[in-house]
């Protein structure tokens, strides 16, 4: 029971959406993943889990009313334990980033600050979705900074970071109504954003074989996100809005893979795409939202 409670608190299936950020960042600067990349992946995973633990600690009073089954309000995990976990994951994430080099730490530090600012103060403000989008973009830049620490190299990853941030902005806006529903505009806007991102990613850029892979991954991204967004737009009930959020989270993986393929890293793209079935398998046991 304790293991399952922590799995729920940390949303373990969502962890599979994290490594692709760093790998897409490495691909964006035309660098092959190396030891520093793996350290950046570890840092990213730790900071992501810090955000999950801190999120439930900060929302414990709200969850007691709206989500009493969650680990903290149900009494399966004590608030102090969740806060301690958030602190420990943050320290571990920054330590791993420092091992990857100063440029990586220079990105991981504002990433950690954004995670804490979002959970503690920005989440329920108009700046909340933008903060979450910034965190995902910084996570991608972490991979670029760690893998190719040369001065100015990270700038080459900015377009990929912007695309990933756009997806995250749309998804986070939808997630703000997942317990109440009643708003058709956020999922409709997310649907439009998915279409725009898919169109941008599908433009010819590389050799025919790479274009074929990128096109297939882009189609997988659009199919994973668009359908639940459409259903939530047509009927913005809490269950369909929650499904839309889950679909948007799962769609992050093919999006990351498509970004890697677009950057000319087919092996990295395939490795990232291979995380999708694992995420789906574990999501049947523990909710990703």
């Amino acid at each position: 029971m304790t293991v399952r409670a922590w799995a729920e608190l940390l949303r373990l299936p969502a962890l599979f959406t994290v490594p692709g950020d760093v790998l897409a960042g490495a691909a964006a600067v035309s660098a092959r993943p190396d030891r520093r990349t793996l350290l950046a992946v570890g840092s990213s995973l730790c900071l992501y889990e810090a955000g999950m633990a801190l999120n439930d600690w900060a929302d414990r009073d709200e969850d007691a009313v709206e989500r009493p089954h969650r680990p903290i309000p149900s009494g399966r995990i004590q608030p102090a334990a969740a806060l301690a976990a958030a602190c420990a994951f943050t320290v571990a994430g920054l330590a791993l980033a420092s091992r990857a080099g100063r440029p990586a730490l220079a990105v991981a530090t504002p990433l950690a600050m954004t995670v804490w600012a979002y959970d503690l103060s920005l989440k329920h403000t108009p700046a909340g979705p933008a903060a979450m989008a910034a965190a995902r973009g910084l996570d991608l830049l972490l991979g670029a900074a760690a893998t190719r620490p040369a001065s100015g190299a990270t700038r080459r990853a900015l377009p990929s970071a912007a695309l990933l941030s756009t997806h995250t902005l749309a998804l986070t806006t939808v997630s703000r109504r997942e317990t109440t529903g009643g708003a058709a505009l956020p999922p409709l806007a997310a649907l439009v954003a998915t279409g725009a991102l898919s169109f941008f990613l599908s433009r010819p850029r590389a050799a025919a074989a790479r274009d074929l892979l990128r096109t297939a991954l882009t189609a997988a991204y659009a199919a994973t996100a668009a359908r639940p967004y459409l259903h939530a737009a047509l009927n913005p009930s809490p269950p369909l809005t929650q499904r839309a959020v889950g679909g948007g989270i799962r769609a992050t993986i093919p999006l990351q893979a498509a970004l890697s393929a677009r950057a000319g890293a087919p092996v990295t793209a395939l490795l990232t795409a291979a995380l999708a079935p694992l995420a789906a398998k574990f999501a049947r046991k523990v909710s990703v939202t």
Side-chain angles (χ1 to χ4, degrees):
M1 289 297 292
T2 301
V3 172
R4 182 173 181 83
W6 279 101
E8 292 178 18
L9 181 82
L10 300 176
R11 295 167 180 81
L12 289 188
L15 270 184
F16 293 98
T17 71
V18 178
D21 290 348
V22 172
L23 294 176
V29 294
S30 303
R32 183 173 298 177
D34 56 16
R35 182 185 67 87
R36 292 190 301 267
T37 312
L38 293 179
L39 288 169
V41 169
S43 173
S44 176
L45 290 170
C46 287
L47 293 177
Y48 187 87
E49 290 294 47
M52 293 297 100
L54 187 62
N55 174 81
D56 276 28
W57 179 83
D59 284 355
R60 61 193 184 280
D61 293 334
E62 176 185 329
D63 285 348
V65 177
E66 297 183 353
R67 309 174 190 87
H69 61 280
R70 292 293 299 160
I72 292 179
S74 66
R76 289 176 292 156
I77 293 179
Q78 294 301 311
L83 181 59
C87 294
F89 277 123
T90 301
V91 171
L94 294 175
L96 287 170
S98 68
R99 293 287 302 278
R102 289 184 179 180
L105 182 60
V107 177
T109 300
L111 171 56
M113 293 172 63
T114 302
V115 168
W116 279 74
Y118 173 81
D119 282 333
L120 296 182
S121 63
L122 298 178
K123 183 191 311 181
H124 299 297
T125 72
M132 182 63 77
R136 274 288 183 177
L138 286 168
D139 204 28
L140 188 146
L141 294 178
L142 174 61
T147 309
R148 177 159 289 183
S151 177
T154 307
R155 293 196 203 99
R156 295 167 55 186
L158 288 175
S160 292
L163 293 175
L164 182 61
S165 293
T166 299
H167 166 73
T168 306
L169 177 67
L171 169 60
T172 307
T173 302
V174 175
S175 72
R176 290 160 72 90
R177 302 299 295 268
E178 67 176 320
T179 60
T180 60
L185 184 58
L188 181 60
L191 180 62
V192 172
T194 300
L197 289 173
S198 299
F199 174 78
F200 187 87
L201 287 169
S202 64
R203 293 189 302 175
R205 180 178 175 126
R210 292 180 180 176
D211 266 350
L212 181 61
L213 175 61
R214 177 177 47 79
T215 300
L217 291 170
T218 300
Y221 160 65
T224 304
R227 185 176 180 180
Y229 283 156
L230 177 60
H231 288 170
L234 294 175
N235 179 14
S237 62
L240 290 182
T241 302
Q242 291 164 15
R243 289 183 188 178
V245 174
I249 293 173
R250 291 190 299 273
T252 303
I253 295 177
L255 173 59
Q256 295 161 337
L259 290 172
S260 291
R262 178 176 177 268
V267 174
T268 298
L270 291 173
L271 288 174
T272 301
L275 296 173
L278 294 174
K281 178 181 178 180
F282 283 91
R284 288 193 288 270
K285 300 178 180 181
V286 179
S287 175
V288 298
T289 66

